[in-house]
């Protein structure tokens, strides 16, 4: 029976795209970078919604930089991304509006213990409370960017206790972090290779102490640049 006959009998043909296997749909949705578009795709039908979830589950990296994301929508997407290894929720011109509540919700996602890289660059709305909650489960972390935030030594203590594999950390302009926090961090994170302390209010003598603990540590600092210290 041809399509005309089926139509004449009141039987509506299934759209071509609905015949695609869900794995192929997921592959297509994985190419979409707009979270708005993905949200709209979820609302088309149940199959598309499952395809979007499957595509998120396969992603190794997610970046929300530049997107106007709130706590709940961001956490919901990350919960589906169970293969995630790199997470970027940096603030840009428009930026994510993530709070400590959002970091708490994100920390409950299954992917967090497997993350290798997290960027919270410029997230001025978060505090030690949210960072500590997130870091407490990110035990595989190797690269962390919390530059431009208002975290204190409390966050660094949590990083030192929970991230033994940390290799690089950006603390650009974290002016509430002190020498004490830096010394504890470098003492406990023995795999640390690079630390960016540009714009921080710590004395140059502190860096001498850091290098004494870890001679191969690369320290990126304006103070060191001006003093032409050989560690750079």
């Amino acid at each position: 029976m041809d399509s005309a006959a089926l139509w004449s009998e009141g039987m509506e043909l299934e759209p071509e795209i609905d015949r695609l296997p869900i794995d192929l749909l997921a592959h297509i949705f994985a190419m979409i970078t707009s979270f708005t578009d993905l949200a709209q795709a979820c609302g088309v039908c149940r199959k598309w919604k499952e395809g979007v979830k499957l595509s998120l589950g396969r992603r190794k990296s997610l970046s929300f930089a530049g997107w106007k994301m709130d706590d709940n929508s961001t956490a919901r997407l990350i919960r589906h991304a169970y293969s995630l290894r790199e997470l970027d929720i940096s603030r840009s011109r428009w930026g994510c509006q993530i709070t400590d509540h959002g970091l708490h919700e994100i920390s409950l996602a299954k992917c967090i213990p497997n993350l290798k890289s997290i960027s919270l660059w410029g997230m001025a709305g978060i505090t030690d409370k949210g960072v500590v909650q997130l870091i407490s489960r990110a035990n595989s972390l190797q690269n962390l960017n919390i530059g431009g935030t208002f975290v204190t030594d409390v966050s660094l203590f949590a990083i030192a206790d929970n991230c033994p594999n940390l290799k690089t950390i950006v603390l650009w302009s974290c002016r509430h972090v002190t020498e004490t926090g830096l010394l504890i961090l470098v003492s406990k994170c023995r795999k640390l290779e690079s630390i960016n302390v540009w714009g921080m209010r710590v004395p140059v003598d502190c860096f001498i102490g850091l290098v004494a603990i870890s001679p191969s540590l690369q320290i990126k600092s304006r103070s060191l640049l001006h003093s032409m210290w050989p560690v750079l």
Side-chain angles (χ1 to χ4, degrees):
M1 183 179 296
D2 59 23
S3 58
L6 287 173
W7 183 263
S8 66
E9 294 182 7
M11 299 174 62
E12 185 176 354
L13 289 177
E14 183 182 32
E16 291 291 337
I17 195 168
D18 287 343
R19 301 180 187 179
L20 293 178
I22 193 167
D23 282 348
L24 184 53
L25 278 175
H27 179 74
I28 295 171
F29 292 141
M31 300 178 185
I32 299 177
T33 58
S34 168
F35 297 109
T36 301
D37 291 344
L38 286 176
Q40 292 176 343
C42 281
V44 171
C45 64
R46 181 178 297 179
K47 188 174 182 179
W48 278 38
K49 184 176 182 179
E50 292 302 316
V52 171
K53 287 183 179 180
L54 186 58
S55 72
L56 288 171
R58 294 175 176 176
R59 295 198 181 196
K60 300 296 183 181
S61 65
L62 278 179
S63 175
F64 297 99
W67 293 95
K68 289 186 176 181
M69 303 292 292
D70 58 26
D71 289 338
N72 294 329
S73 58
T74 303
R76 185 164 53 250
L77 287 170
I78 294 173
R79 280 197 295 269
H80 292 306
Y82 46 80
S83 297
L84 201 64
R85 295 296 180 269
E86 299 178 0
L87 175 61
D88 181 2
I89 49 178
S90 304
R91 182 180 180 87
S92 63
R93 181 178 178 182
W94 296 275
C96 298
Q97 302 297 323
I98 306 300
T99 67
D100 286 339
H101 171 71
L103 292 185
H104 173 78
E105 293 300 310
I106 291 170
S107 72
L108 301 178
K110 292 182 178 180
C111 65
I112 299 303
N114 298 319
L115 286 182
K116 302 296 184 183
S117 176
I118 295 177
S119 178
L120 304 175
W121 172 267
M123 299 298 293
I126 61 175
T127 69
D128 289 322
K129 181 180 179 182
V131 174
V132 169
Q133 177 65 34
L134 179 62
I135 292 301
S136 66
R137 297 195 64 239
N139 309 119
S140 299
L141 202 61
Q142 295 181 3
N143 306 291
L144 176 62
N145 187 340
I146 49 176
T149 66
F150 294 101
V151 299
T152 70
D153 288 345
V154 173
S155 289
L156 264 63
F157 296 156
I159 296 167
D161 289 337
N162 294 283
C163 304
N165 299 311
L166 193 67
K167 293 182 178 180
T168 68
I169 185 169
V170 176
L171 298 167
W172 182 88
S173 198
C174 291
R175 299 192 174 188
H176 298 286
V177 168
T178 71
E179 178 178 355
T180 300
L182 293 176
L183 289 171
I184 293 295
L185 177 71
V186 174
S187 296
K188 292 190 175 183
C189 295
R190 305 302 297 182
K191 296 182 180 181
L192 196 61
E193 299 172 355
S194 173
I195 182 170
N196 187 325
V197 291
W198 193 281
M200 291 179 60
R201 296 171 177 170
V202 290
V204 174
D205 289 348
C206 168
F207 306 139
I208 298 176
L210 297 181
V211 173
I213 298 171
S214 179
S216 62
L217 181 65
Q218 295 182 5
I219 303 176
K220 301 177 181 180
S221 166
R222 183 175 183 178
S223 299
L224 290 181
L225 183 63
H226 284 179
S227 64
M228 299 299 291
W229 216 39
V231 73
L232 291 178

